[in-house]
Amino acid sequence: MNRPVLIGFVDAAHADDLQKRRSTIGYVFTYMGGAIVYRSVVQTVTAHSSTEAEFIAAVAAAKAAKYL
């Protein structure tokens, strides 16, 4: 018997927008194998490194996880 488990995935593509050099972030949360929350958006700030872009994405995903 499967236990109900909430699983989250998050990723960022650094400087994906070539015009403004903004990063694209995305996250998804699954519950019992099905997606319940997802989001993909261009960041509102310019990240100076791929690590910074990942941290910004992680914070956005953490806010969604806290809500769930």
Side-chain angles (χ1 to χ4, degrees):
M1 184 156 116
N2 291 340
R3 292 180 23 217
V5 178
L6 180 68
I7 300 173
F9 301 93
V10 62
D11 195 20
H14 180 249
D16 204 25
D17 179 6
L18 298 178
Q19 298 294 324
K20 294 184 179 181
R21 305 298 294 167
R22 301 278 170 93
S23 302
T24 303
I25 66 168
Y27 59 82
V28 63
F29 287 93
T30 63
Y31 185 72
M32 300 281 294
I36 57 170
V37 174
Y38 68 92
R39 186 167 188 208
S40 177
V41 66
V42 175
Q43 291 178 344
T44 57
V45 297
T46 303
H48 297 286
S49 67
S50 59
T51 302
E52 185 178 0
E54 292 283 349
F55 275 120
I56 294 169
V59 168
K63 289 177 183 179
K66 183 179 176 182
Y67 174 77
L68 294 173

